[in-house]
Amino acid sequence: MSDKDKQILDQDENLMDHDYDGILELDNPPPRWIMMLFYITIGWSIIYGAYYFWLKEGNLQDEEYAQKSEQHDEKYQIATISSDELVAFTDEASLAEGKQIYTELACMACHGMNGEGNAIGPNLTDDYTLHGCDFQSAFHTIKEGVPAKGMTAYKTQMSEEKIQKVASYIMSLRGTNPANAKDPQGEKCE
Amino acid sequence: MENQKFNYDNKIVKLFILATLVWGVVGVLVGILAAAQLAFPVFNFGLEFTTFGRVRPLHTNAIIFAFVGNAIFAGVYYSMQKLLKTRMFSDTLSKIHFWGWQLIIVLAAVTLLAGFTTSKEYAELEWPIDILITIIWVVFGWNMIGTIVVRRVQHIYAAIWWYLATFLGVAMLHVVNSFELPISLFKSYSIYAGAQDAVVQWWYGHNAVAFFLTTPFLGLMYYYLPKAANRPIYSYKLSIIHFWSLIFLYMWAGPHHLLYQALPNWAQALGTTFSIMLIAPSWGGMINGLLTLRGAWDRVRDSAALKFMVVAVTAYGMSTFEGPMMSLKSVNQITHFTDWTIAHVHIGGMGWNGGLVFGMLYWLVPKLFKSKLFSEKLANTHFWLSTLAILIYAIPLYWAAVTQWLMWRNYTDEGFLQYPNFLETVTQLIPMYMARIVAGILFLVGFLIMVYNLAKTMAAGSFVNDEAAEAPALVLAGARNPMKETVHRWMERRGVRFSILVFIALAIGGAVEIIPMIFIKSNVPTIDSVKPYTPLELEGRDLYVKEGCYVCHSQMVRPFRWETDRYGEYSKIGEFVYDYPFQWGSKRTGPDLARAGVVGGPMYKNAAWHYNHFMDPQKMNEQSIMPNYAWLSVKNTDLTKTPKKIRAMQTLGVPYPEGYDEQAVEDYLTQAEGIVADLKASGIETDAKKQIVALIAYMHKLGRDIAEQPEVAQVEMHAESFTEEATQKEVKLLEGAEDLAAGEKIFKTTCVVCHGADGKGIGTFPNLVDDEWLHGNSPEQVFKDISEGNVAKGMIPYKTQFSEKQITQLTSYVLITLQNKENEDRK
């Protein structure tokens, strides 16, 4: 009991008549600030709910994505090439770079080392194409891909400028007659 | 009044303390192993039993249920008896509780390493163990409530309120989350699917943290802290307010584990707001603890026990502020899927739970053994090692989390992801993972010093199993006197009524979130193109669960541009309606796999790539930290279970056609042969029953159903059954314009890829309109070719995708329309 007495002595606060295995309790009110904090968080939660679901001010998940995605596209607009500029490069440097991209992205896995085609992808060197003859079509095929047939869309992996270069390289392959060329597929280009 | 004589049961407390020490060492060791595996994949040892996917769940289970669990029981059994001035209600129940719990732990360790898991975090154990847990938990509760009933003290003290909430809360959580449909002794399917399963699981998961790692510890704090400090509790009123507000609010906060994921906005908002409202109730506990130490801080300096308790309460305050901040959506996008969460839980686990257990043991063991602590100096060493370990653990992981998040979302000036290869963002973190190993070792060394210190203390002391005590019998006070007694004070002497109120407070949050998710259809908007798993894909999915792939790979693309650019379209609620259980994951140590089956998408890899990658990930990416899964190419799947699995899925509501279970094995093998043939073309020899084939099929299913189709949406799976005779009976061509148009539609969406729009065949695929037919051109033969396929040559069997009628229409289109066109062209 002496311990308890000592507690009471150096504690001139309102001790309650609670005693659990020697543990006493004081009748202090909770600190004001913690109660304030509690009320503030409750108020904040009501405002949060009202903002999104009653006033409908806040963007819900899908809208938020659509909006942010739009902003993203605006921000990086510079990367697209206008249709006027969308012509095949013919200079050596660009074609060499195009060839390098062709190797880096492993185009040969499906179209052969020299564009001759293999069991998976079509021959790129003949006069026939599956998805259009002009440069714009080649550009588009590389950019958007042909997912159903296994052609990857490369728009998420490289800039349009690079696509332009690799497409230019592919156009330059036309009529090269490599060995083991695959049989023509698709429409004939004039 | 005359005193009654009785004995306290100290032996049960001692048993639980010993178990705490043993499992604590084991749990920390397993944690160090897991940490080592993430920095050096060689520590996966190339064995299926020791891969990270199985070791990590073992670590969390061992720490939470074995180490912390036994510590809770030790603390509760000691303090309950003292606070209620009685022996535990039943020695038999105490013994069943102790040995039953240890049995559960051993079973858990064995089954988790063997790969028997439900994949639901902190609830991984399979159904027989779930039942055992329920029984043992009821034994614990029965013993506890029995003790309250036979008490010799008028009022129930605050510590016991928390113990009651713990018992009731965990019982509710465990039972509701563990509803599963068994198909064998060690395999079951959750009865909830997709988003519903996610809501139930994280209601459980979040509140396992609340009612296993928080409420019992607040109870322990309310007993051991004032005992060790010898000070009165600062505020009785605060005890009441923060008790009721905390247990009520906690149950609502589960959805904060699912922010920006495939969950209705309202549920996410509940997760966020209730987490924010939890700050003050949580801090109420911290404040009441710290203010209780007023005027006793000199004692803290001299006592390792009190030091640990102060660190524990401080860590609790930090975690319970950090948690609500992580529940804000804007913060959550950084902390979720990264190492931030890992650091957060270890502040809680090592600081709050570890600290309070250590503090309690340093006070309790000398008390039980009637001696002084062997060495206060060693205890101080333990304290500093432990505190240092927490810092070395958490700071590098916070750093890692922010680093990786920045790398995930960084774009080049051209507008492309700067680190499109996920692996680059992992390799960057390896030094931080190494620091974590150091932290784990420091923590373990401190732990072992404590074990030594306590063993010495025990050896020097004298222990009595039954400690004699006496107290007057309880004469229950009568009705409440409104002038003298508050309602709460009155309730404190009505144990059963108090428990019922606690139960109601606990039940509301879960009910409000779970019931609408299951019964209101608009919460789970379905997507027509999403089809059930084929038998092979289902088997692959079971393997994905078994190997613990979800531990490192999420299947949840969040609606951020930097995620959709990296993985593909963000995840929708309706995609997951056949996912028993859901596999969204909670940590991305590897890339998200939700779009692994989207042909042409950024995550797609062909079968040969997957095969080689499973066999030896480091061969393909030198810096990969993925374990190898070479046994997948050796072990066969158990096809005898396939029909049973299909029937179980039907019971759960998956719309396989009636009687499909009999067809399942055949379809399994046919689809598997297709993959085997595909692999063979790349020079890989395997056979259809190998596990690796099923897992590849599952990889290729992920996200495929909602991937954009070239033209019209895919044709729905046929509802009517596909009979055996169908392949033999006469096939009558359908010449009506409508049927031919339907056939054309199917042809143009499905067949055109290989046979060309005009049917002349692309590449090596056969021409359908020339005079040469590989398998004959009778309607019966063509019908059979389409329905059964020719997997060796790459022709898929379409009978699982189209109905008899649809295949007949297709046959008609090929033999009538296409042939006519060709004939006209030739003219």
Side-chain angles (χ1 to χ4, degrees):
Chain A
M1 276 296 146
S2 67
D3 256 342
K4 210 186 288 171
D5 292 341
K6 202 171 149 244
Q7 276 187 1
I8 297 163
L9 277 178
D10 54 34
Q11 189 85 48
D12 51 326
E13 284 160 294
N14 23 2
L15 208 52
M16 306 180 87
D17 62 345
H18 302 178
D19 181 344
Y20 305 96
D21 191 31
I23 298 172
L24 309 179
E25 291 187 298
L26 300 171
D27 194 21
N28 292 319
R32 250 183 126 78
W33 65 269
I34 190 84
M35 295 309 293
M36 285 307 295
L37 180 66
F38 193 33
Y39 300 139
I40 289 168
T41 57
I42 292 171
W44 181 88
S45 297
I46 293 167
I47 293 167
Y48 183 95
Y51 182 72
Y52 284 101
F53 301 100
W54 182 46
L55 301 172
K56 299 200 187 298
E57 284 293 318
N59 281 331
L60 297 180
Q61 201 154 297
D62 294 337
E63 298 154 28
E64 185 187 336
Y65 176 74
Q67 203 184 54
K68 292 242 172 93
S69 205
E70 203 176 306
Q71 288 168 0
H72 179 97
D73 289 335
E74 264 166 40
K75 184 174 171 192
Y76 292 110
Q77 228 172 11
I78 18 148
T80 56
I81 296 173
S82 73
S83 55
D84 300 341
E85 293 168 6
L86 202 53
V87 287
F89 290 114
T90 45
D91 59 295
E92 288 284 321
S94 298
L95 291 179
E97 208 180 314
K99 182 173 184 176
Q100 198 191 334
I101 297 166
Y102 186 89
T103 323
E104 274 172 12
L105 293 174
C107 304
M108 63 280 188
C110 302
H111 298 290
M113 284 305 290
N114 302 305
E116 70 273 17
N118 63 23
I120 306 164
N123 184 343
L124 303 173
T125 62
D126 56 17
D127 286 339
Y128 291 79
T129 80
L130 290 163
H131 306 291
C133 297
D134 58 349
F135 178 74
Q136 272 78 8
S137 303
F139 178 87
H140 181 80
T141 306
I142 299 168
K143 187 180 164 195
E144 303 293 337
V146 190
K149 295 188 187 174
M151 172 72 189
T152 309
Y154 284 94
K155 62 181 171 188
T156 59
Q157 298 184 35
M158 59 177 161
S159 67
E160 297 206 343
E161 196 196 327
K162 283 186 175 171
I163 297 178
Q164 192 178 7
K165 281 179 180 151
V166 75
S168 304
Y169 169 70
I170 287 164
M171 293 299 276
S172 76
L173 293 175
R174 219 168 257 182
T176 50
N177 289 319
N180 303 321
K182 192 178 181 181
D183 288 344
Q185 288 166 265
E187 53 173 315
K188 187 168 170 36
C189 300
E190 298 306 324
Chain B
M1 201 180 306
E2 206 176 311
N3 272 357
Q4 293 179 328
K5 287 189 196 307
F6 61 95
N7 293 310
Y8 290 125
D9 183 0
N10 281 350
K11 193 182 167 198
I12 190 71
V13 181
K14 185 173 88 177
L15 284 174
F16 275 120
I17 289 176
L18 295 177
T20 305
L21 297 176
V22 171
W23 295 124
V25 173
V26 173
V28 176
L29 266 175
V30 176
I32 294 172
L33 174 63
Q37 290 174 335
L38 286 187
F40 310 101
V42 60
F43 284 105
N44 289 287
F45 303 123
L47 294 170
E48 61 170 308
F49 309 107
T50 49
T51 52
F52 185 77
R54 298 191 189 178
V55 166
R56 207 283 279 145
L58 179 66
H59 167 61
T60 46
N61 276 280
I63 291 296
I64 299 173
F65 300 111
F67 166 59
V68 170
N70 277 303
I72 293 169
F73 302 137
V76 168
Y77 273 88
Y78 179 81
S79 60
M80 283 260 298
Q81 301 185 73
K82 299 278 176 173
L83 287 168
L84 299 172
K85 293 273 171 277
T86 179
R87 191 183 177 84
M88 285 308 290
F89 171 66
S90 158
D91 284 5
T92 314
L93 289 180
S94 301
K95 272 184 204 135
I96 295 173
H97 179 196
F98 176 79
W99 290 109
W101 197 258
Q102 311 315 314
L103 175 67
I104 289 166
I105 293 167
V106 172
L107 288 175
V110 173
T111 55
L112 286 177
L113 291 183
F116 303 123
T117 174
T118 65
S119 81
K120 295 177 76 160
E121 288 186 66
Y122 329 126
E124 288 92 345
L125 305 177
E126 265 300 351
W127 67 274
I129 308 177
D130 279 343
I131 293 174
L132 188 58
I133 292 170
T134 312
I135 294 169
I136 298 302
W137 196 256
V138 169
V139 165
F140 168 51
W142 180 8
N143 207 8
M144 172 153 74
I145 291 172
T147 309
I148 292 172
V149 171
V150 302
R151 71 187 186 274
R152 292 189 178 81
V153 176
Q154 191 70 255
H155 294 94
I156 300 165
Y157 174 56
I160 296 171
W161 312 345
W162 293 104
Y163 300 159
L164 272 174
T166 300
F167 163 65
L168 294 168
V170 171
M172 188 190 307
L173 294 162
H174 173 69
V175 170
V176 174
N177 189 45
S178 298
F179 277 121
E180 47 219 357
L181 184 65
I183 62 141
S184 69
L185 187 57
F186 288 114
K187 175 71 194 164
S188 65
Y189 293 113
S190 170
I191 67 157
Y192 315 102
Q196 296 165 343
D197 197 35
V199 162
V200 175
Q201 158 58 27
W202 284 112
W203 166 76
Y204 166 89
H206 172 66
N207 289 297
V209 174
F211 292 90
F212 213 89
L213 300 175
T214 303
T215 57
F217 277 76
L218 285 167
L220 296 179
M221 182 194 83
Y222 270 100
Y223 182 80
Y224 293 95
L225 184 79
K227 274 296 208 185
N230 204 11
R231 302 289 305 173
I233 291 294
Y234 174 74
S235 168
Y236 163 68
K237 283 193 187 117
L238 183 55
S239 300
I240 296 172
I241 296 170
H242 97 97
F243 171 76
W244 289 103
S245 53
L246 189 140
I247 67 163
F248 172 73
L249 295 171
Y250 237 114
M251 283 287 189
W252 295 71
H256 70 206
H257 289 257
L258 302 167
L259 297 179
Y260 277 124
Q261 299 180 36
L263 197 72
N265 287 292
W266 63 264
Q268 297 190 32
L270 287 178
T272 298
T273 49
F274 278 78
S275 305
I276 293 294
M277 285 189 279
L278 266 171
I279 299 175
S282 304
W283 275 8
M286 169 181 71
I287 288 166
N288 225 3
L290 291 178
L291 289 179
T292 294
L293 290 171
R294 276 192 331 170
W297 288 96
D298 53 322
R299 261 168 255 176
V300 174
R301 201 181 49 216
D302 300 333
S303 153
L306 275 174
K307 253 186 234 158
F308 265 118
M309 288 183 196
V310 168
V311 164
V313 173
T314 315
Y316 175 64
M318 278 160 49
S319 296
T320 53
F321 178 71
E322 189 188 14
M325 291 304 111
M326 291 163 71
S327 307
L328 296 169
K329 289 184 92 170
S330 47
V331 180
N332 188 268
Q333 61 161 301
I334 310 174
T335 62
H336 197 69
F337 289 141
T338 64
D339 285 302
W340 192 288
T341 309
I342 319 302
H344 168 66
V345 300
H346 281 83
I347 299 260
M350 295 159 87
W352 164 236
N353 298 119
L356 205 68
V357 170
F358 302 147
M360 177 181 93
L361 290 177
Y362 280 126
W363 180 84
L364 182 57
V365 170
K367 197 108 189 152
L368 276 175
F369 285 81
K370 296 193 176 51
S371 71
K372 277 186 75 102
L373 186 62
F374 168 71
S375 163
E376 197 69 36
K377 208 171 160 187
L378 282 179
N380 266 318
T381 312
H382 176 203
F383 173 78
W384 288 112
L385 280 174
S386 189
T387 309
L388 194 63
I390 296 172
L391 296 177
I392 297 178
Y393 191 103
I395 294 169
L397 284 196
Y398 286 135
W399 189 271
V402 176
T403 304
Q404 197 177 29
W405 176 70
L406 288 171
M407 289 177 85
W408 283 349
R409 69 196 298 276
N410 230 26
Y411 278 88
T412 63
D413 293 338
E414 288 174 314
F416 294 88
L417 288 172
Q418 187 164 7
Y419 306 98
N421 185 355
F422 188 92
L423 185 57
E424 285 178 274
T425 75
V426 177
T427 308
Q428 200 69 24
L429 312 181
I430 300 300
M432 280 76 111
Y433 288 171
M434 290 177 184
R436 165 164 61 185
I437 304 174
V438 175
I441 292 171
L442 282 179
F443 196 76
L444 180 67
V445 170
F447 201 117
L448 291 173
I449 289 173
M450 176 185 74
V451 172
Y452 171 77
N453 202 356
L454 294 180
K456 280 286 192 186
T457 308
M458 290 178 189
S462 64
F463 183 82
V464 277
N465 284 337
D466 301 298
E467 181 189 339
E470 52 184 72
L474 172 66
V475 181
L476 281 170
R480 182 169 88 92
N481 176 351
M483 304 298 289
K484 284 188 179 161
E485 198 177 25
T486 62
V487 176
H488 202 272
R489 193 69 185 148
W490 168 72
M491 285 226 313
E492 287 166 29
R493 55 185 174 87
R494 316 294 283 184
V496 176
R497 246 166 272 200
F498 193 94
S499 306
I500 293 170
L501 264 179
V502 169
F503 186 83
I504 293 170
L506 294 174
I508 295 171
V512 170
E513 285 167 3
I514 294 168
I515 293 171
M517 277 304 290
I518 292 178
F519 294 104
I520 299 177
K521 258 197 123 184
S522 65
N523 281 320
V524 186
T526 50
I527 301 171
D528 287 341
S529 60
V530 172
K531 291 200 267 342
Y533 295 98
T534 65
L536 182 68
E537 291 157 4
L538 186 65
E539 187 63 41
R541 192 169 202 278
D542 290 345
L543 287 165
Y544 185 93
V545 167
K546 178 176 173 143
E547 297 301 346
C549 305
Y550 65 90
V551 173
C552 292
H553 293 280
S554 57
Q555 287 184 23
M556 175 51 59
V557 182
R558 295 178 293 178
F560 304 132
R561 186 56 185 264
W562 45 275
E563 293 214 349
T564 54
D565 278 351
R566 182 181 296 277
Y567 302 116
E569 183 60 28
Y570 66 86
S571 299
K572 311 288 190 302
I573 298 175
E575 284 181 66
F576 304 100
V577 290
Y578 303 127
D579 286 14
Y580 300 87
F582 80 119
Q583 291 292 302
W584 297 356
S586 60
K587 171 74 174 69
R588 276 187 199 141
T589 302
D592 188 277
L593 297 178
R595 300 289 174 248
V598 178
V599 182
M603 290 306 290
Y604 186 81
K605 300 280 192 284
N606 67 17
W609 186 95
H610 279 300
Y611 186 96
N612 287 316
H613 192 248
F614 284 130
M615 294 302 286
D616 190 353
Q618 280 75 37
K619 205 166 104 190
M620 308 194 68
N621 299 302
E622 213 178 318
Q623 292 170 311
S624 169
I625 56 170
M626 177 161 146
N628 74 61
Y629 289 87
W631 59 89
L632 293 174
S633 69
V634 181
K635 292 178 85 170
N636 285 327
T637 54
D638 182 1
L639 282 173
T640 59
K641 293 219 178 77
T642 300
K644 217 170 175 183
K645 288 180 176 180
I646 296 294
R647 286 196 295 274
M649 285 292 145
Q650 285 173 321
T651 308
L652 293 171
V654 178
Y656 291 108
E658 189 71 28
Y660 186 67
D661 55 328
E662 287 168 30
Q663 178 69 35
V665 173
E666 204 185 319
D667 280 4
Y668 180 107
L669 292 171
T670 319
Q671 192 188 359
E673 288 298 349
I675 294 170
V676 170
D678 187 0
L679 288 170
K680 199 171 178 183
S682 307
I684 296 165
E685 291 287 343
T686 183
D687 73 78
K689 288 185 179 174
K690 294 290 179 257
Q691 294 185 344
I692 203 162
V693 174
L695 204 49
I696 291 171
Y698 177 59
M699 289 292 111
H700 283 171
K701 161 78 170 176
L702 291 171
R704 192 185 61 204
D705 290 348
I706 74 147
E708 264 180 54
Q709 300 299 322
E711 285 168 38
V712 254
Q714 277 204 0
V715 187
E716 278 173 49
M717 191 164 180
H718 58 108
E720 68 267 47
S721 70
F722 201 96
T723 56
E724 189 64 25
E725 309 88 73
T727 50
Q728 282 138 30
K729 74 177 180 202
E730 194 189 338
V731 175
K732 267 192 103 156
L733 293 181
L734 302 161
E735 298 182 14
E738 231 181 83
D739 288 318
L740 290 175
E744 180 175 6
K745 193 173 141 189
I746 299 172
F747 190 88
K748 291 213 162 141
T749 50
T750 307
C751 315
V752 70
V753 179
C754 298
H755 297 290
D758 50 9
K760 285 182 181 165
I762 291 172
T764 53
F765 293 107
N767 186 329
L768 304 176
V769 291
D770 56 7
D771 300 322
E772 211 185 304
W773 277 81
L774 295 171
H775 310 287
N777 68 346
S778 69
E780 288 76 17
Q781 187 59 46
V782 174
F783 181 97
K784 193 176 168 218
D785 289 346
I786 298 172
S787 51
E788 302 295 330
N790 187 336
V791 276
K793 292 187 182 163
M795 173 75 183
I796 303 164
Y798 283 96
K799 62 181 170 186
T800 56
Q801 290 184 34
F802 302 127
S803 68
E804 276 181 58
K805 187 168 174 209
Q806 284 173 317
I807 293 180
T808 314
Q809 287 168 336
L810 190 52
T811 308
S812 310
Y813 174 75
V814 170
L815 292 179
I816 300 171
T817 317
L818 280 182
Q819 199 63 51
N820 286 348
K821 254 192 211 160
E822 172 69 10
N823 293 344
E824 266 169 43
D825 284 356
R826 277 189 208 170
K827 276 180 214 163

